[in-house]
Amino acid sequence: MKPKHRRLVFVGIAMALLAAATGLVLGALRENIVFFYSPSDIAAKPPAPDRRIRVGGLVEAGSVEKPGGGLVRFRVTDTASTVTVSYRGILPDLFREGQGVVVQGKFADGAFAADEVLAKHDENYMPREVSDAIKKSGQWKPDGKPESKGGKP
């Protein structure tokens, strides 16, 4: 075998190994990627039921229910659409109606079953995804707070 052919075989094997490694990395990342949706995005095109996603928005005023057993139900809104969320567990201390939240979980039986609830940590802070979703809905006010529909913003 000529040296030129050996180099071509070596480059071919290296390219095949690189392609296999890239495929394995992308496959592993696909399992861990969690996409962000606003309630309007979900209303327009619901995600697959087994797909793990994040939903962000404001906790709608008057929507928090605690039926017992550690279960909490509330609605997340971007002021244009709402998503009903059920969560079993302890809510963050900063969780309140009218405040920004990001919940992570899956859709099951027409409602969002969250396994993680993240609340904002500062009264001036709002997750970028939430503020972008509210801006996209056209409800964003220049002072950084969305317009309220009867509840406390």
Side-chain angles (χ1 to χ4, degrees):
M1 185 180 280
K2 294 180 180 179
K4 182 178 180 182
H5 290 130
R6 271 191 250 141
R7 279 190 299 236
L8 286 175
V9 169
F10 176 75
V11 169
I13 291 172
M15 295 299 281
L17 290 174
L18 181 63
T22 302
L24 290 173
V25 169
L26 291 176
L29 288 176
R30 180 182 236 172
E31 297 292 323
N32 295 322
I33 293 174
V34 180
F35 291 103
F36 178 84
Y37 287 81
S38 70
S40 294
D41 293 338
I42 292 171
K45 185 179 178 190
D50 59 340
R51 180 92 179 146
R52 186 170 168 77
I53 63 169
R54 293 177 14 185
V55 177
L58 303 172
V59 178
E60 192 174 73
S63 69
V64 178
E65 302 172 9
K66 296 180 179 179
L71 182 67
V72 180
R73 288 189 195 109
F74 55 94
R75 288 188 299 272
V76 174
T77 182
D78 61 359
T79 67
S81 297
T82 61
V83 172
T84 301
V85 176
S86 62
Y87 174 70
R88 186 174 303 276
I90 299 172
L91 291 169
D93 291 338
L94 298 174
F95 179 87
R96 283 183 232 119
E97 294 179 355
Q99 298 292 322
V101 293
V102 174
V103 295
Q104 188 168 316
K106 297 178 181 178
F107 271 98
D109 301 326
F112 189 78
D115 55 22
E116 186 174 4
V117 175
L118 304 171
K120 69 179 191 176
H121 65 278
D122 180 331
E123 79 178 37
N124 297 320
Y125 172 77
M126 181 175 292
R128 192 181 74 202
E129 295 96 346
V130 174
S131 64
D132 289 346
I134 294 171
K135 286 177 185 174
K136 191 175 171 183
S137 74
Q139 302 296 319
W140 185 262
K141 292 173 65 177
D143 64 356
K145 296 181 180 178
E147 292 182 11
S148 175
K149 288 186 175 179
K152 185 179 170 185

